[in-house]
């Protein structure tokens, strides 16, 4: 039995210390009132005290474990439906259509930051605006500094633009590769041969939407298309004697489209130049052919064999 006075005397404790000790022992269930005499306190075995103290917590833990097991079982039962849904989602997410220009640019920026090995770009339409070239210069330099290979295809008409020539001179000196072709299919951006940006069908300069392609088979096909165009394109070597040959290639492309019956506007669009520039070239060509009309120009081409077969990459 717990006797405050005897314990204080035996252990040389003050009254306050004795009261504190009693409170601590009762809190730990090591002292409990005697049955039938609440005023009398008797010691309790540590095992009994421990059982009484932790039993509520153990019960709570047991109930929580049961709840966790129940939740896990219910959620795991949804796995077949989830995997089927994911299979369908992956099929759909192989293609994304984005119609908001800022969102397209934001995604391009994000993909560019994650790019690890290679960027392939097709840029039709002739010379690019100076502000676009300035932005492209910064991005291209960042790629090259990270060891990412950069290859770009422009149209021949871009060679006559001073801003483009300056841009090409700078990025090729840093390790990028640039070529030009007379005609290009469409704008295309390829990152790490894993993701491709294509113009969305209804895209306009005011609403530059994009189709984002992730499906491996189609991405591989588009990479093959790029390589085909790359192999048939001419290296863009600034201040090179090849500029004359490229100008001749452009003239041949104009003649070829004229023979096919394309109007000035369509020829200009296909070759990435303004209609005014296109008409100036056509005027020079008809003068060289001593023709007074498109029909006569076509006839003179056939008679003089002025339209030659495109040169192979080895001849470029």
């Amino acid at each position: 039995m717990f006797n405050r006075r005897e314990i204080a005397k035996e252990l040389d404790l003050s009254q306050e210390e004795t009261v504190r000790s009693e409170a601590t022992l009762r809190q730990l269930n090591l002292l409990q009132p005697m049955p039938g005499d609440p005023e009398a306190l008797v010691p309790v075995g540590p095992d009994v005290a421990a059982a009484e103290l932790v039993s509520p917590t153990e019960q709570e833990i047991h109930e929580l474990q049961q709840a966790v097991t129940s939740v896990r079982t219910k959620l795991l039962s949804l796995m077949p439906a989830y995997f089927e849904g994911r299979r369908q989602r992956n099929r759909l997410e192989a293609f994304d259509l984005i119609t908001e220009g800022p969102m397209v640019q934001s995604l391009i920026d994000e993909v560019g930051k994650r790019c690890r090995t290679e960027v392939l770009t097709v840029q039709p339409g002739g010379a690019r605006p100076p502000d676009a070239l300035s932005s492209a210069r910064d991005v291209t330099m960042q790629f090259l500094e990270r060891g990412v290979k950069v290859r770009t295809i422009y149209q021949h008409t871009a060679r006559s633009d001073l801003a483009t020539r300056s841009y090409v001179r700078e990025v090729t000196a840093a390790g990028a590769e640039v070529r030009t072709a007379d005609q290009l299919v469409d704008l295309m951006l390829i990152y790490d041969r894993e993701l491709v940006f294509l113009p969305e069908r209804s895209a306009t300069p005011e609403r530059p939407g994009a189709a984002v392609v992730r499906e491996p088979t189609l991405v591989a096909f588009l990479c093959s298309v790029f390589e085909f165009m790359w192999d048939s394109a001419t290296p863009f070597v600034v201040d090179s004697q090849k500029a004359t040959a490229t100008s001749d290639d452009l003239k041949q492309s104009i003649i070829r489209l004229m023979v096919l019956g394309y109007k000035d506007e369509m020829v200009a669009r296909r070759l990435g130049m303004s209609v005014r520039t296109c008409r100036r070239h056509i005027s020079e060509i008809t003068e060289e052919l001593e023709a007074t009309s498109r029909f006569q120009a076509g006839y003179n081409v056939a008679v003089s064999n002025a339209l030659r077969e495109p040169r192979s990459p080895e001849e470029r």
Side-chain angles (χ1 to χ4, degrees):
M1 183 178 296
F2 186 86
N3 188 299
R4 297 183 185 88
R5 184 175 298 174
E6 291 181 2
I7 289 178
K9 181 179 179 180
E10 182 70 24
L11 300 178
D12 193 21
L13 298 177
S14 66
Q15 183 177 356
E16 291 77 8
E17 290 174 330
T18 304
V19 171
R20 267 200 315 273
S21 299
E22 178 185 341
T24 300
L25 292 172
R26 295 190 66 171
Q27 186 178 10
L28 295 174
N29 281 4
L30 292 172
L31 279 180
Q32 294 185 12
M34 180 184 295
D37 187 358
E39 296 299 323
L41 297 176
V42 294
V44 176
D47 55 339
V48 176
E52 291 180 347
L53 281 175
V54 303
S55 180
T57 303
E58 287 182 334
Q59 179 62 30
E60 185 177 354
I61 292 174
H62 178 68
E63 291 174 354
L64 287 174
Q65 288 176 331
Q66 286 186 320
V68 168
T69 301
S70 176
V71 170
R72 180 180 288 113
T73 301
K74 290 178 181 178
L75 291 179
L76 290 179
S77 69
L78 300 175
M79 287 295 288
Y82 166 76
F83 281 116
E84 175 60 22
R86 190 173 71 174
R87 186 184 68 81
Q88 294 290 336
R89 185 176 67 252
N90 288 343
R91 181 178 63 83
L92 295 174
E93 289 182 351
F95 310 91
D96 280 333
L97 289 179
I98 306 174
T99 57
E100 295 80 8
M103 185 178 296
V104 173
Q105 188 58 54
S106 177
L107 182 56
I108 289 176
D109 294 341
E110 181 63 29
V111 172
K113 292 177 183 177
R114 298 199 307 264
C115 185
R116 306 179 307 276
T117 59
E118 185 179 37
V119 178
L120 310 176
T121 307
V122 178
Q123 291 282 358
R128 301 176 68 190
D131 56 338
L133 286 174
S134 178
S135 176
R137 179 183 292 104
D138 294 339
V139 174
T140 301
M141 289 302 187
Q142 291 173 12
F143 282 139
L144 296 173
E145 289 171 1
R146 287 172 17 217
V148 176
K149 295 181 180 179
V150 178
R151 287 192 286 162
T152 302
I153 307 176
Y154 290 116
Q155 288 188 268
H156 288 327
T157 46
R159 289 177 176 261
S160 60
D161 180 67
L162 292 179
T164 302
R165 293 171 66 84
S166 175
Y167 163 78
V168 171
R169 181 185 293 108
E170 187 172 347
V171 298
T172 53
E177 296 181 74
V178 182
R179 293 188 179 186
T180 62
D182 55 353
Q183 300 182 61
L184 296 176
V185 177
D186 214 331
L187 175 67
M188 184 162 58
L189 306 176
I190 303 175
Y191 293 89
D192 288 336
R193 296 180 179 264
E194 295 176 353
L195 187 146
V196 183
F197 287 88
L198 299 173
E200 193 262 332
R201 184 174 181 181
S202 60
T204 63
E206 296 75 24
R207 297 185 60 190
V212 184
V213 182
R214 300 182 182 86
E215 202 285 315
T217 301
L218 184 52
V219 169
F221 171 76
L222 293 172
C223 290
S224 297
V225 171
F226 177 90
E227 295 296 349
F228 177 82
M229 291 188 289
W230 180 262
D231 290 341
S232 60
T234 303
F236 194 156
V237 182
V238 182
D239 302 328
S240 167
Q241 66 273 17
K242 290 186 178 181
T244 302
T246 304
S247 178
D248 188 48
D249 286 343
L250 179 60
K251 183 184 299 183
Q252 288 290 312
S253 300
I254 294 174
I255 294 174
R256 190 173 293 108
L257 294 175
M258 287 173 60
V259 171
L260 291 174
Y262 286 106
K263 300 297 183 182
D264 296 354
E265 293 77 6
M266 183 58 70
V267 174
R269 187 179 309 152
R270 293 284 294 269
L271 299 180
M273 64 177 70
S274 68
V275 176
R276 180 179 179 180
T277 301
C278 178
R279 286 173 176 163
R280 177 170 57 80
H281 284 299
I282 291 175
S283 177
E284 293 173 355
I285 291 170
T286 53
E287 184 177 345
E288 290 178 9
L289 295 173
E290 298 180 350
T292 57
S293 66
R294 280 176 169 271
F295 177 79
Q296 186 179 2
Y299 174 80
N300 291 352
V301 167
V303 171
S304 63
N305 196 29
L307 183 60
R308 56 173 170 75
E309 291 296 321
R311 292 178 296 154
S312 65
E314 291 76 11
E315 298 173 317
R316 295 175 184 271

